[in-house]
Amino acid sequence: MFFEKRSQTIRGSGNSVALTGGQMVLGSGYISAEQALKNSDVWTAVNIISSDIARVKFHADKQKVDKTLNNPSRVTNRFNFYQSMIAQMLLTGNAYAVRRADSGGEYLEFVAPSHIQQYLSDDGQVTTYDITFNGTQEDDLKNVPATDVIHLRLLSTDGGLTGKSPLTALVDELTLQSGNNQLANSVFNKSANPSAMLKLTTGQKLNDAGREAVRTAFENANTGANAGRVMVMDGTFDYSQLEVKSDIAKLLTATDWTRSQIAKAFMLPSDMLGSESEHSNADQIRAMYNNTIGRYLAPALEELSMKFGESVIADIREATDLDGAMLEQRTINLINSGAISPALALEILKDSHSDLVTPDLVDAVGQENAVGKEVVTNAGSTQL
């Protein structure tokens, strides 16, 4: 079979999202984490998901592969490396790391999407990568085979070659939120007095100095130490309280709506971004979030398994059940249903990361029970 490699250029992240003039717009190219994370709701969503998945422990049967998975980087710790990979995948739809090796064994080197270019062969069966290291003395890499590149993807629409970020579905919402924030700043920071109006009823016209004198006198009489006291009017002025117009008020509350849309795009319960949902409790929120973690974890597991040629499994307990409370409740339910014995339940909790039933506590209780049984046995022997 004859074909020419690298004949078809594949854009690194497809139709990604870029920031222009402080607003999100569709465009080709690379979006930096620094730009996208300026939006507080996006920052929260990305931080929650990437941090929790970074707590997941990856394991493989082969010791060499397992070592690489748990010590992937030469320049940072395991948590920060995987957090960076997942965050980049969320922000651009793609995340890359090139497989390297030195005297200490194999390791992974993070590559920003702006420094990598993917190519597809004429027959559509082989992909290769060009990697540049701008601003460093490290040599650029050409024609890197796909087996040497860890490439995480989200929501691919081109047969799995590249992925798309959730941000592509949020262009309108994020633009609205940006405009809404600008309007709120204008209303509350730049208005002369958006809440009240003082009208002179005598018909007298005032110059600038006169208006300032009247305003200052009224503020001195009704603010500061006099705030909250009864207001006395002599008929010279007509005071009225102003309200924000209903259409502006509705627009100012649009932040909650855009926050819910961001949560939906990232598949997060809206409660996790600060919006209170109407029909969910803590257990439902936890179950929904566990499903979300599974959806984002699957691309990483499949990619690692394929590239290392070894089945990679994930220990997600620390990501979804930090203090072991969920495991404790599940264990109680199994005891109550008669599925397991209390002794087996203790062994399960002993082997978990429960902060309530610790291995030391279980061992201590076991020793006390053993001593108690010995005393009873000895006492029975004496009576006999």
Side-chain angles (χ1 to χ4, degrees), residues 41 166 169-170 172-174 176-177 254-268 270 273 275:
D41 292 322
L170 292 170
D172 293 339
E173 288 84 352
L174 292 172
L176 174 62
Q177 190 178 63
T255 298
D256 289 336
W257 179 78
T258 54
R259 179 175 295 122
S260 297
Q261 295 299 103
I262 292 172
K264 181 174 69 174
F266 281 95
M267 297 182 288
L268 285 174
S270 57
L273 295 187
S275 296

Side-chain angles (χ1 to χ4, degrees), residues 140-160:
D140 294 344
L141 301 177
K142 301 292 185 180
N143 255 338
V144 180
T147 53
D148 289 340
V149 177
I150 304 297
H151 182 180
L152 307 185
R153 311 162 179 85
L154 278 183
L155 190 60
S156 176
T157 58
D158 57 4

Side-chain angles (χ1 to χ4, degrees), residues 44-82:
T44 302
V46 172
N47 185 48
I48 288 174
I49 297 170
S50 63
S51 296
D52 287 344
I53 293 182
R55 289 209 301 264
V56 171
K57 300 294 180 62
F58 298 112
H59 294 291
D61 290 337
K62 289 184 180 179
Q63 185 177 0
K64 183 173 67 173
V65 176
D66 192 76
K67 178 183 177 182
T68 303
L69 293 173
N70 287 281
N71 297 277
S73 175
R74 289 287 187 265
V75 296
T76 188
N77 59 59
R78 186 199 64 82
F79 178 90
N80 289 133
F81 177 83
Y82 286 122

Side-chain angles (χ1 to χ4, degrees), residues 208-373:
D208 291 344
R211 282 193 293 270
E212 184 61 31
V214 171
R215 181 188 297 111
T216 300
F218 185 85
E219 289 175 346
N220 290 338
N222 297 282
T223 60
N226 294 322
R229 300 183 64 188
V230 176
M231 185 181 296
V232 178
M233 307 293 294
D234 60 2
T236 306
F237 300 101
D238 181 14
Y239 173 81
S240 59
Q241 194 79 22
L242 298 180
E243 296 181 357
V244 178
K245 292 182 179 180
S246 60
D247 54 345
I248 297 179
K250 291 178 181 178
L251 186 56
L252 292 178
T253 59
T255 298
D256 289 336
W257 179 78
T258 54
R259 179 175 295 122
S260 297
Q261 295 299 103
I262 292 172
K264 181 174 69 174
F266 281 95
M267 297 182 288
L268 285 174
S270 57
D271 304 68
M272 301 186 75
L273 295 187
S275 296
E276 186 176 354
S277 58
E278 298 180 0
H279 307 292
S280 62
N281 54 40
D283 291 336
Q284 290 174 328
I285 293 172
R286 187 181 297 112
M288 291 172 58
Y289 183 59
N290 285 348
N291 288 333
T292 294
I293 290 295
R295 295 185 182 104
Y296 288 119
L297 188 58
L301 285 174
E302 293 292 335
E303 178 71 3
L304 292 172
S305 297
M306 183 178 75
K307 294 302 170 66
F308 285 107
E310 177 81 3
S311 178
V312 176
I313 61 174
D315 182 356
I316 66 171
R317 290 178 296 175
E318 291 189 22
T320 60
D321 188 18
L322 189 59
D323 60 356
M326 292 175 60
L327 181 60
E328 291 164 3
Q329 185 59 52
R330 291 174 63 186
T331 305
I332 291 173
N333 294 338
L334 290 172
I335 295 175
N336 292 337
S337 65
I340 62 175
S341 66
L344 178 56
L346 283 178
E347 289 299 321
I348 293 173
L349 295 176
K350 180 180 178 180
D351 192 39
S352 73
H353 59 281
S354 169
D355 62 348
L356 180 63
V357 184
T358 63
D360 292 340
L361 179 61
V362 174
D363 291 340
V365 172
Q367 292 174 4
E368 289 181 3
N369 291 338
V371 172
K373 291 179 180 178

